Amino acid sequence: MTERRAHDGRLIDANFDLAPFTIAWELTRACAFACKHCRAEAQPQRDANELSTEEAFRLVDQIREFGDPILVITGGDPMMRPDLYDILGYAVQRGLRTSLTPTTTRLVTRKALARVKEVGVRRVAVSLDGPTAEVHDAFRGFSGSFDIAMGIIGNVAKAGLSLQINTTVSRYNVQLLDQMAELVGHSNVVQWSLFFLVPTGRANAADMISPEEHEQVFNWLYDVGKSASFDIKSTAAPAYRRVVIQRQRAEQEPSARKVPAPPLAGAGYRYADGLGRPAKGVNDGNGFCFISHTGDVCPSGFLPVSAGNVRDQSLVDIYRNAPLFRRLRDRGALKGKCGRCEFRDVCGGSRARAYAISKDPLAEDPSCVYRPLVH
């Protein structure tokens, strides 16, 4: 795979036709919580059809064939698998940049975090969806979850792990993001990752913020990112990259405004643990893929359409050759204003949200207010 890296090791360019930059792997759908937005519709008990430990090891070997993509171990709650540390350790041993996203339950003890650190995991992501217990607990469906999450946030740093905070942006908390940013800023985080709600799983379309609110939040995030001590990343909202480019162009000297600003230049990359991301846009099925607890391979967890199963076919073959993935990587196949947009190569619209609303993964992103120059 051909790639270019900046002097700080950040990946600038890569051929996403050949390999994803990030892979999210849902080890299990078992989880003690009942979150309003859960894309997995997680259940209290583990599925008997989950990939076995042996199958998990074989899958890690296949992931390594791509090179060194970031591997995000998620769920459900991956802490509910007794072989979690074996799988994490094997992934690290095979040279994969591995991070963990546990559910914020009492299973995430100091001892557990010490084991995560011991096996070589680089980063732990903690979900926090409100600045207060009232908001967060209502979202998570579990009283006391806010206090547990805050305790875990403190313990991650004590364990010597890099901390990422994940926040799902919805109508329940969009008016509280200023307070969230303040809380995140006092939490010693490396990255604040904002997931813009996609109506799949338990989440409903009525839970999404409006297109106008998306645009307002994107511009607010750009302003916050200028002075933040942590990196800011948007998920299921590739239009944020468009806003960054537009804002950077507007800030250039008048004589230089005709020169396009490089995508995402100066927008962060404060990755002390080395988990950089590319300047080119990662999107569902294009630089990203998702593996379910039973081995189904999807463009993302928010676009739950299987292109194949690792029990029957190589992950590498599915990602590179499955018709669904190939269509999603063809920017010329995009429909509506996404297909006409001059920013389609760095944005491309949320394919997951397009599918959730229209059942067509190539349709235009209904959350975007931008009008392309070519109508």
Side-chain angles (χ1 to χ4, degrees):
M1 180 180 66
T2 301
E3 63 181 37
R4 292 188 300 122
R5 293 183 182 270
H7 61 84
D8 60 359
R10 174 174 56 84
L11 185 63
I12 298 173
D13 197 9
N15 187 346
F16 289 161
D17 287 334
L18 295 180
F21 181 74
T22 301
I23 296 173
W25 179 6
E26 170 194 76
L27 278 192
T28 181
R29 282 198 176 174
C31 184
F33 284 0
C35 302
K36 288 182 178 180
H37 66 296
C38 182
R39 55 118 202 115
E41 297 184 276
Q43 304 299 320
Q45 303 297 324
R46 291 176 58 196
D47 186 338
N49 198 36
E50 287 175 0
L51 296 179
S52 68
T53 306
E54 182 179 352
E55 288 174 318
F57 285 175
R58 287 202 297 268
L59 179 55
V60 168
D61 291 338
Q62 292 180 32
I63 293 171
R64 192 66 178 90
E65 291 179 36
F66 285 125
D68 65 340
I70 291 174
L71 176 61
V72 179
I73 299 295
T74 183
D77 184 5
M79 302 297 290
M80 294 184 73
R81 279 197 59 147
D83 59 355
L84 170 64
Y85 304 105
D86 295 328
I87 295 171
L88 290 173
Y90 187 70
V92 173
Q93 177 188 334
R94 292 288 286 121
L96 294 173
R97 297 171 290 167
T98 307
S99 66
L100 174 67
T101 306
T103 302
T104 51
T105 70
R106 299 189 189 280
L107 292 176
V108 190
T109 62
R110 289 187 179 185
K111 183 177 179 180
L113 290 171
R115 290 191 68 185
V116 170
K117 171 68 173 177
E118 182 181 349
V119 299
V121 168
R122 297 189 180 200
R123 181 184 297 186
V124 170
V126 177
S127 294
L128 197 64
D129 294 305
T132 65
E134 179 182 9
V135 176
H136 178 85
D137 290 0
F139 205 63
R140 291 282 156 179
F142 186 86
S143 180
S145 62
F146 178 81
D147 292 335
I148 296 173
M150 293 304 296
I152 294 170
I153 285 171
N155 288 335
V156 168
K158 292 176 183 177
L161 292 157
S162 293
L163 171 66
Q164 173 179 319
I165 289 181
N166 294 344
T167 299
T168 297
V169 179
S170 72
R171 68 181 180 89
Y172 301 104
N173 62 5
V174 67
Q175 302 301 326
L176 303 171
L177 291 179
D178 278 318
Q179 297 177 45
M180 280 298 304
E182 183 176 356
L183 181 59
V184 170
H186 289 94
S187 301
N188 195 30
V189 302
V190 171
Q191 183 181 92
W192 187 22
S193 187
L194 293 97
F195 290 68
F196 287 76
L197 187 141
V198 175
T200 189
R202 292 197 187 107
N204 299 310
D207 297 329
M208 290 194 303
I209 61 176
S210 70
E212 293 74 21
E213 287 173 320
H214 275 86
E215 195 77 358
Q216 291 167 8
V217 174
F218 295 157
N219 279 279
W220 174 80
L221 282 177
Y222 179 78
D223 291 331
V224 171
K226 286 183 175 181
S227 59
S229 60
F230 47 86
D231 184 75
I232 291 175
K233 177 179 178 292
S234 66
T235 296
Y240 176 57
R241 296 192 281 265
R242 165 186 56 79
V243 170
V244 170
I245 293 171
Q246 290 175 308
R247 292 289 301 273
Q248 289 178 340
R249 286 177 178 173
E251 291 167 0
Q252 290 177 348
E253 292 296 327
S255 61
R257 285 183 183 171
K258 293 183 180 179
V259 180
L264 294 180
Y269 309 118
R270 302 181 182 92
Y271 291 92
D273 54 5
L275 294 180
R277 69 173 184 266
K280 69 183 293 185
V282 172
N283 208 326
D284 304 320
N286 185 22
F288 188 93
C289 73
F290 172 87
I291 306 162
S292 81
H293 63 299
T294 57
D296 283 329
V297 181
C298 304
S300 81
F302 301 109
L303 206 174
V305 178
S306 177
N309 190 287
V310 298
R311 284 175 165 146
D312 307 315
Q313 190 178 359
S314 161
L315 171 64
V316 175
D317 184 45
I318 294 171
Y319 177 84
R320 291 178 179 173
N321 300 313
L324 174 60
F325 278 85
R326 292 176 70 90
R327 287 200 305 273
L328 289 171
R329 291 195 292 269
D330 179 5
R331 286 294 189 256
L334 296 178
K335 301 175 183 178
K337 66 180 183 180
C338 285
R340 301 190 304 271
C341 187
E342 64 272 25
F343 291 99
R344 69 181 187 180
D345 288 334
V346 293
C347 172
S350 170
R351 300 299 92 222
R353 189 172 291 102
Y355 177 79
I357 299 299
S358 69
K359 300 306 176 186
D360 182 354
L362 298 175
E364 65 181 50
D365 184 346
S367 70
C368 182
V369 300
Y370 183 70
R371 293 185 178 183
L373 296 177
V374 178
H375 297 290

